[in-house]
Amino acid sequence: MEKFVDTQQDHFVNLILKLLSNDEPLDTIFKTLIEFFEEQNPNTICSILFLDKNKKRFEKVYAPHLPDFYNQALPHLDIGESAGSCGTAAYTGKRVVVVDIQNDPLWVPYRDMAKAANLAACWSQPIKAQNGEILGTFAIYYVEPRPPLERDIKTIEQAAHLVSIILKYFENRSFAQKAQERISLIYESSIDAMWLIDIEDNGQTYRFKSINDAFIAVTGLTRAAVLEKTVEEVLPPTSIPLVRAKYAEAVSTGHVVDYLEVAPLPAGVKVGQIRVKPIKDEKGVVTKILGIAEDITERKRIDDRLKESEADLIYAQHVAQLGSWKWEAKTDTVHWSQEIYNILNLDPKSGPLRFTDQSKLYTEESWNRLKIAVEEAMATGGSYEVDLEGRSNVKGPRWFVARGEVIEKDPQGRPTRLAGTLQNNTERKLLENNLKAALNARDEFIAVATHELKTPLTTLQLALYSIVKALDGEIDKDKLISRVEKAKLQGDRLEALIKNLLDVTSIGAGKMRLELKPDVNLSSLIQNIAKKYEYDLTKSGSSLIKNIEPNIIGLWDDFRLEQVVTNLISNAIKYGNGKPIEVHLRRSGQNAILEVRDQGIGISEDKQKKIFERFERAVSETSYSGLGLGLWIVKEIVTAFNGKVWVTSTLHKGSSFSVELPIKAQG
Ligand code: ADP
């Protein structure tokens, strides 16, 4: 450019620059340029021609003062080694100076055309791009034959150079425009909110300069509420410290800064994944910030909900003690939920066990059943449910229920995915076992009870029968009395048995109630009971030694006390081996102490606690009849009186049952 600028042409250069800065089109600029050169050189006609893409012909012609027919013919002429001045210059890339068209070999094909256009001389200068590519030509025509002066040559050189610069400028401008357009297209069509901030007052003020449509849609703010406003005027106060800090970081580091912002906005509470980019001016100073925000509110909500339902599932599995698993055939991978590790007492860090390794968890019998069930489900595409017993040497629950099914098959019908659950079934299994044991005990009890009731009943019936028979004939009065007494005894025994049976149900249902009376004389109560047992004592061969402190009187329930004493004495007779039995009663402070001792079969130490439980016996039912209820009832009653009962015994030597009763029992 500098070469071209001299005093003569200052005005022209300014004019061209003005046209360029006004964004005038190329046509206008070239027209102005041609007119300037034509004015500078009277009797000349100037042309600017541009080659087509293939560099074969001229495609564009700027020559306002050449005749129309000439301009129209130009684009159809091929360039070449001798194709007039312009065609040859464009072909060779060298200036072509034709002084006399009519007599120049280069012009042979176009002589007539030139004549008709009244053109006699033509000097043509190739227009070249910076890289040397030939773009076209700048030419000056004369109406008379004439050679150029040095000044003329300089003129066409400078003109061609100027055209090349103008073209380059236009190319750059259109490139910049396109880039600008592309950027605005992205900016405007982006679904992410975008904004441009001006940094003012040395970084003190951040002012919104532009926002895109998405910004409005996402925030619910209007353009008027944002543009030319500071961040403090636009954003919620809770966001300001974060936003200022991040903008400042972007400015100071010159780098992109990412952050997450949760902001209550007119469009609702929004969660944005934000990225701010500092933009530098030509001096390298950050003067603007470009912001872009991805609205992740919905994603965050879904994420949160997913996390919540995951937590719910984990909790539900934990409460149900039921874990879930999945198996992928393709990769042979197993996935266990957290609860499976809990149930099996395994560390989640060590990962799930492969199916075959699970054999070590269960008893051999259980493992075999599980294996068969799984194999069958795999073969049929069905499901299974197997009760499993854990190995006793493995820590944790003992019983499990394993369920599973094929949930996906390949086109050949082979299972590709299995899923299922493992549940801790220990509590249920124990309950079930207890229930089974209770049912067995009940059946046994009914059998024993029936037998127990039947024995005295048969004896009673026999006694009554013989009484009836005796009444018919002559009978000795004493004999009759003895038979009636025998019958009565069996009746008493039956009554005691039935009382015990009734107590099982009523005490078991928590119904034992004491009927306390103020002056219950325990001493005489024991004496009376002892009398009742005279017959049984005689029969068993045991003697009864009584050591009873008289008149121990308390606030008691006499009916219940009678049961206690009866049960203890009858047991002493039953298990006493016909040896002497002692009954002791004494006062000790505020308590009465009753002791029933025998020298019978005794009770082994391990059974001594158990015998106070319901249906528990330390002897076989074939050698000694009984229901296993007496001592349980004794314990229940004594406990209700706030007292204690215990046994000291040596096997084969005898037992001593002691009862301690508060004299003023509180019912
Ligand atoms: P039952 O006598 O009907 O079996 P109990 O509850 O009265 O029921 O007694 C429970 C068990 O305690 C008896 O089966 C017996 O094994 C043992 N037992 C009770 N009293 C004595 C005793 N005096 N000597 C030895 N064993 C006894």
Side-chain angles (χ1 to χ4, degrees), residues 14 33 119 270 324 354 473 476 497 558 565 603 649:
N14 284 341
L33 193 139
L119 305 171
K270 295 284 173 176
S324 54
R354 298 165 71 88
D476 166 349
L497 264 171
D558 54 349
V565 179
I603 306 156
S649 177

Side-chain angles (χ1 to χ4, degrees), residues 380-382 406-417:
T380 59
V406 174
I407 56 166
E408 194 188 86
K409 293 184 206 166
D410 67 9
Q412 285 75 44
R414 284 184 299 246
T416 49
R417 285 169 91 196

Side-chain angles (χ1 to χ4, degrees), residues 567-568 571-572 574-576 598 601-603 611 613 616-619 625-632 649 655 657:
N567 274 311
L568 292 181
N571 274 352
K574 189 159 46 162
Y575 304 110
D598 65 60
I601 61 170
I603 306 156
I611 51 172
E613 282 169 31
E616 289 292 345
R617 310 194 68 214
V619 288
S625 68
L627 297 172
L629 285 175
L631 287 179
W632 175 70
S649 177
S655 312
F657 285 85

Side-chain angles (χ1 to χ4, degrees), residues 32-259:
T32 312
L33 193 139
I34 286 169
E35 274 165 4
F36 172 80
F37 279 101
E38 285 175 348
E39 249 170 55
Q40 293 286 305
N41 306 283
N43 297 323
T44 62
I45 295 172
C46 293
S47 77
I48 300 171
L49 310 183
F50 289 109
L51 284 169
D52 65 4
K53 259 205 321 253
N54 302 325
K55 313 282 181 202
K56 281 201 131 161
R57 288 187 189 141
F58 291 113
E59 176 180 58
K60 240 179 160 32
V61 178
Y62 295 94
H65 300 119
L66 281 178
D68 285 348
F69 79 88
Y70 196 90
N71 280 344
Q72 278 155 17
L74 274 175
H76 301 288
L77 307 178
D78 286 346
I79 64 170
E81 272 174 10
S82 50
S85 306
C86 293
T88 311
Y91 189 80
T92 59
K94 294 197 178 106
R95 177 168 59 241
V96 174
V97 175
V98 173
V99 177
D100 182 1
I101 289 174
Q102 292 305 320
N103 296 310
D104 197 295
L106 294 180
W107 275 85
V108 175
Y110 315 118
R111 263 182 206 160
D112 294 346
M113 211 173 84
K115 199 172 194 174
N118 196 27
L119 305 171
C122 179
W123 320 325
S124 183
Q125 177 72 29
I127 301 168
K128 291 183 183 172
Q130 263 170 355
N131 60 4
E133 181 194 349
I134 300 163
L135 305 171
T137 56
F138 178 85
I140 295 185
Y141 294 88
Y142 278 87
V143 291
E144 289 158 9
R146 60 167 282 193
L149 301 174
E150 200 182 318
R151 203 196 69 170
D152 298 328
I153 297 291
K154 204 174 163 198
T155 300
I156 59 169
E157 265 180 359
Q158 286 172 341
H161 187 57
L162 181 61
V163 170
S164 152
I165 288 169
I166 290 169
L167 278 180
K168 181 73 192 161
Y169 172 82
F170 263 78
E171 196 185 304
N172 286 348
R173 198 171 69 182
S174 84
F175 183 77
Q177 261 169 2
K178 268 189 202 134
Q180 187 60 44
E181 276 163 19
R182 226 173 284 148
I183 290 167
S184 359
L185 192 72
I186 294 170
Y187 194 72
E188 276 320 321
S189 61
S190 164
I191 54 161
D192 293 332
M194 292 174 84
W195 62 96
L196 197 66
I197 297 275
D198 261 7
I199 304 167
E200 297 170 2
D201 307 334
N202 240 337
Q204 293 304 300
T205 308
Y206 299 109
R207 194 179 298 282
F208 281 94
K209 278 297 182 181
S210 131
I211 55 174
N212 68 351
D213 290 348
F215 186 99
I216 295 167
V218 168
T219 59
L221 291 160
T222 62
R223 238 173 246 283
V226 179
L227 292 181
E228 299 303 329
K229 301 274 190 323
T230 64
V231 286
E232 282 79 3
E233 290 169 314
V234 174
L235 300 176
T238 47
S239 294
I240 301 300
L242 174 75
V243 167
R244 290 200 73 94
K246 295 294 173 184
Y247 285 9
E249 185 186 335
V251 173
S252 66
T253 61
H255 294 140
V256 163
V257 174
D258 292 310
Y259 60 96

